[in-house]
Amino acid sequence: HNLRESEQRSIAHAEILAIDAACERIGSWRLENTTLYVTLEPCPMCAGAIVLSRVKRVVYGAKDPKGGCAGTLMNLLQEPRFNHYVEMTEGVLEQTCSELLSDFFRQLRKNKKKK
């Protein structure tokens, strides 16, 4: 899961953390036969990391109208000028994912007001 807020690190997105852990586990930067499942459509940074890591497929739930780079604002995962093409499935459990994210950010704002 995303640790950006709890660790106050801009690159601690769930995708980056998962990619890093997978590379460490298999001992390679190439994740050629992997599928990455994410709640929210990847941002530009995560989409770039996915392509550079050679992830085979991404499955995501909710679209990100403010930063989604897997089809909403642009599609970096399937950009023909890159040397890797990522298979993609979008909208899986979309409503559930949207609610999960809304609840998370609602709680985050509530906690910030307490401080």
Side-chain angles (χ1 to χ4, degrees), residues 60-62 91-98:
Y60 74 87
V92 175
L93 298 172
E94 186 171 9
Q95 185 63 36
T96 302
C97 290
S98 293

Side-chain angles (χ1 to χ4, degrees), residues 25-85:
R25 180 169 175 118
I26 68 167
S28 175
W29 63 269
R30 289 180 184 90
L31 303 177
E32 294 169 325
N33 293 309
T34 61
T35 299
L36 180 64
Y37 295 88
V38 294
T39 307
L40 183 64
E41 178 181 3
C43 72
M45 174 180 67
C46 294
I50 290 164
V51 170
L52 293 173
S53 300
R54 308 292 194 272
V55 170
K56 181 178 181 177
R57 179 174 177 231
V58 169
V59 177
Y60 74 87
K63 290 187 176 289
D64 183 357
K66 294 181 180 179
C69 287
T72 298
L73 297 179
M74 63 185 70
N75 189 348
L76 295 176
L77 299 182
Q78 298 176 334
E79 170 55 54
R81 294 173 290 182
F82 289 151
N83 64 344
H84 181 70
Y85 179 91

Side-chain angles (χ1 to χ4, degrees), residues 8 13 18 28 32 35 46 55-57 61 64 84 87 89-90 92 100-101 107 110 112 114:
Q8 290 299 297
H13 289 203
S28 175
E32 294 169 325
T35 299
C46 294
V55 170
K56 181 178 181 177
R57 179 174 177 231
D64 183 357
H84 181 70
E87 295 172 23
T89 304
E90 59 185 74
V92 175
L100 182 70
L101 291 162
Q107 187 62 43
K110 186 177 176 180
K112 282 185 178 182
K114 290 180 182 179

